[in-house]
Amino acid sequence: MKVKLSEIPEEGLTLSEHLDPAQMRLDTPELKFTAPLDLTATFQMQREMAWVQVGITGQMQQICGRCLEPYERSYDSKFHLDYSIKGMLSLDITDEVRQEILLSYPIRFLCREDCLGLCPQCGANLNERSCHHASA
Ligand SMILES: [Zn+2]
Ligand SMILES: [Zn+2]
């Protein structure tokens, strides 16, 4: 998302945009967005500084780290960005938005907190069935 600084009025400017997850290179082996993300950004500036309040929502599919099954989660992230805009005519927040989205990913992916995972011996998904290895 790019904005001309001359178009930001004193009371601020709010813009919305769809983000293409493929174009933004947001997908990882464990995580992908299943639809475009909704980005809303409110720009404000004072003298040589600009503040951007950003909200992003979407739908993502993750691969559980224990049972390896895909599951869906809604994505919701809010953050703000600060810029020094001295001498600048326009502001492009795309790179920083991408960074913030990547940083917001959970460290580990679990389909549920008590996911039982796979049996290390036969590979059975223990959420769906028990095997004789697990009963020991
Ligand atoms: Zn799981
Ligand atoms: Zn087993």
Side-chain angles (χ1 to χ4, degrees), residues 15-79:
L15 297 173
S16 296
E17 189 175 285
H18 291 299
L19 296 180
D20 178 353
Q23 196 190 336
M24 296 277 285
R25 290 174 290 117
L26 296 174
D27 293 351
T28 74
E30 297 88 21
L31 178 160
K32 68 174 192 222
F33 288 96
T34 54
L37 292 97
D38 289 315
L39 163 75
T40 302
T42 300
F43 295 82
Q44 281 184 300
M45 56 179 192
Q46 196 176 36
R47 294 196 198 95
E48 295 169 351
M49 287 295 295
W51 297 268
V52 192
Q53 200 68 41
V54 183
I56 298 174
T57 57
Q59 194 68 24
M60 61 179 9
Q61 188 184 68
Q62 300 170 2
I63 305 290
C64 177
R66 277 192 204 150
C67 69
L68 309 180
E69 291 291 327
Y71 59 97
E72 295 253 338
R73 282 289 146 85
S74 60
Y75 178 81
D76 193 345
S77 178
K78 287 185 174 60
F79 52 90

Side-chain angles (χ1 to χ4, degrees), residues 64 67-70 111-112 114-119 123-131 134:
C64 177
C67 69
L68 309 180
E69 291 291 327
C111 61
R112 55 181 217 227
D114 60 349
C115 173
L116 298 172
L118 301 177
C119 171
N125 185 340
L126 300 175
N127 298 313
E128 290 165 3
R129 63 192 176 98
S130 56
C131 63

